[in-house]
Amino acid sequence: MDPFEFLIGLYTIIVGLGISLLVRSVGQMIEGRKRIRFYWVHSAWLVLVFVAHVGSWFALWQYHGVESWTALECMLLLLVPILLYLVSHLAVPEIDELGDERHDMRSFYYGYNRLIQGLLVATMLVQTANDALIMDSFAATPSQIGRFAVLAILVPGLVSARPAVHAVQVVVLMILALMGSAYFGYRIQ
């Protein structure tokens, strides 16, 4: 087993935990749907968080040719799925299937949106640092340009609690995610 195979195994476990947590939480929301007031912006963010998990896992392949790793590089690389796991944890409230508690996803979203978006900003910055440190490159690749676009879109949501800002933000991020899905047809080699 080479070092990359070792890292991808651990990375995959952490990504799997984050996706599992997200899917479990959505399942709880479906079970408790009669006690939940849904909010489309929050629901769109759940989709975006899932896409971020899968995208980060696929982006890991760019490091497959790296032959040796430092402990710092390993920790920075693993920080990406850890941050996304935390986003998954904060994205949905704990919903007790037997409880009577009502949940308003709009107020929940605005209670946690700055934390979630702050963690996503940190994720983008760590991924950029990974490219610079591990790949010895700070070139303007499509991945880097995409990350800087996401950063530019996230900043208004960090500073404003206006629903119109968040609605525009999530629509633009969804469009960006759809544009990024054009790469789903490319073969990994």
Side-chain angles (χ1 to χ4, degrees):
M1 174 182 284
D2 70 26
F4 179 74
E5 290 171 341
F6 177 75
L7 271 172
I8 199 168
L10 188 52
Y11 195 101
T12 301
I13 290 169
I14 300 168
V15 167
L17 288 170
I19 291 173
S20 176
L21 178 62
L22 189 64
V23 170
R24 178 185 149 276
S25 298
V26 169
Q28 286 179 332
M29 288 177 67
I30 292 169
E31 286 176 347
R33 65 190 173 279
K34 292 181 180 169
R35 296 178 285 124
I36 295 175
R37 183 173 164 240
F38 289 94
Y39 180 48
W40 74 272
V41 171
H42 175 261
S43 298
W45 269 106
L46 296 179
V47 171
L48 289 169
V49 171
F50 175 77
V51 169
H53 276 292
V54 175
S56 81
W57 185 71
F58 271 102
L60 183 63
W61 188 252
Q62 71 181 328
Y63 304 113
H64 78 280
V66 177
E67 294 181 17
S68 64
W69 294 80
T70 66
L72 175 62
E73 291 169 341
C74 293
M75 289 191 303
L76 277 175
L77 192 72
L78 293 174
L79 189 55
V80 171
I82 290 169
L83 290 169
L84 290 175
Y85 176 90
L86 292 172
V87 170
S88 291
H89 179 73
L90 294 173
V92 182
E94 207 41 57
I95 299 173
D96 181 13
E97 66 183 84
L98 301 175
D100 290 333
E101 185 179 4
R102 299 227 173 258
H103 298 277
D104 179 359
M105 292 299 108
R106 182 184 177 106
S107 60
F108 178 82
Y109 170 77
Y110 288 107
Y112 286 94
N113 76 294
R114 284 194 170 119
L115 281 171
I116 289 169
Q117 292 187 37
L119 287 169
L120 290 171
V121 165
T123 303
M124 297 294 117
L125 294 174
V126 169
Q127 284 183 316
T128 301
N130 284 340
D131 283 356
L133 185 65
I134 298 168
M135 301 297 286
D136 253 349
S137 171
F138 203 71
T141 64
S143 296
Q144 288 286 39
I145 293 168
R147 275 189 223 121
F148 285 118
V150 169
L151 280 170
I153 297 165
L154 288 173
V155 169
L158 285 171
V159 297
S160 175
R162 294 182 54 212
V165 169
H166 290 268
V168 169
Q169 181 186 43
V170 78
V171 167
V172 172
L173 285 169
M174 285 293 226
I175 291 169
L176 194 60
L178 285 172
M179 288 170 53
S181 70
Y183 289 100
F184 291 167
Y186 289 102
R187 299 221 179 266
I188 297 175
Q189 298 178 8

